[in-house]
Amino acid sequence: MSQLLETLLKHHRKQLSRYALVGALATLSHYALFLALIPSLPALLASLLGAGLGTWISYQGNNRWTFSRANGDARANQALRFCMSAAGYNLGNALLMLLLLRLEPDSPLLMQVLSTLCLTLVSYWINRTWTFKNELA
């Protein structure tokens, strides 16, 4: 294997593992708030508020660690791109939760897990190829 290919693979493994760790922390935060709010709020609203917290944590972690720039500054339009991709993710989450809760209204946690699993790969691809494109890890 060429040196260039090895370096590129190492870079992508590092970036993917960082993305996964940030995503795990964001997801744990999402779920913690979701579970704390579900006794007093409708499941969909609890899910959306948890998603908002998870989104903020995801942006901070990915901007500062996964896709950080050498000078530490984000490009001017990066936050806007992240907000747009997060809005798409959260809209997808809300729509999927509406559908899943109609199918199984007594299992909101299971439905949230299924929604998260379905949307994770899509969000990684969007963030990797568009939101943080050309950022260095």
Side-chain angles (χ1 to χ4, degrees):
M1 192 179 320
S2 75
Q3 183 68 23
L4 178 61
L5 184 57
E6 283 183 36
T7 302
L8 189 60
L9 287 174
K10 183 179 177 183
H11 168 76
H12 287 294
R13 279 193 300 269
K14 177 182 171 184
Q15 199 172 56
L16 182 57
S17 63
R18 286 181 175 194
Y19 187 85
L21 286 171
V22 168
L25 180 60
T27 300
L28 287 173
S29 301
H30 176 169
Y31 279 45
L33 188 57
F34 172 72
L35 291 172
L37 295 176
I38 204 161
S40 59
L41 294 176
L44 182 59
L45 181 56
S47 175
L48 288 171
L49 292 172
L53 176 62
T55 298
W56 182 81
I57 289 171
S58 179
Y59 176 73
Q60 293 301 319
N62 285 311
N63 179 47
R64 295 171 189 259
W65 190 44
T66 307
F67 303 104
S68 64
R69 294 175 59 91
N71 64 5
D73 294 332
R75 291 192 324 226
N77 63 353
Q78 178 186 349
L80 176 60
R81 286 182 291 171
F82 188 85
C83 287
M84 290 171 66
S85 67
Y89 178 93
N90 290 333
L91 178 60
N93 178 67
L95 293 173
L96 197 50
M97 282 295 286
L98 278 172
L99 174 69
L100 293 173
L101 287 169
R102 284 185 184 210
L103 297 174
E104 194 62 47
D106 297 329
S107 301
L109 181 58
L110 177 60
M111 298 305 101
Q112 185 62 69
V113 169
L114 289 174
S115 178
T116 299
L117 291 174
C118 290
L119 295 170
T120 295
L121 292 176
V122 172
S123 70
Y124 172 74
W125 180 80
I126 290 169
N127 283 312
R128 174 79 179 86
T129 61
W130 183 65
T131 305
F132 296 102
K133 186 175 182 178
N134 300 322
E135 265 66 324
L136 303 172

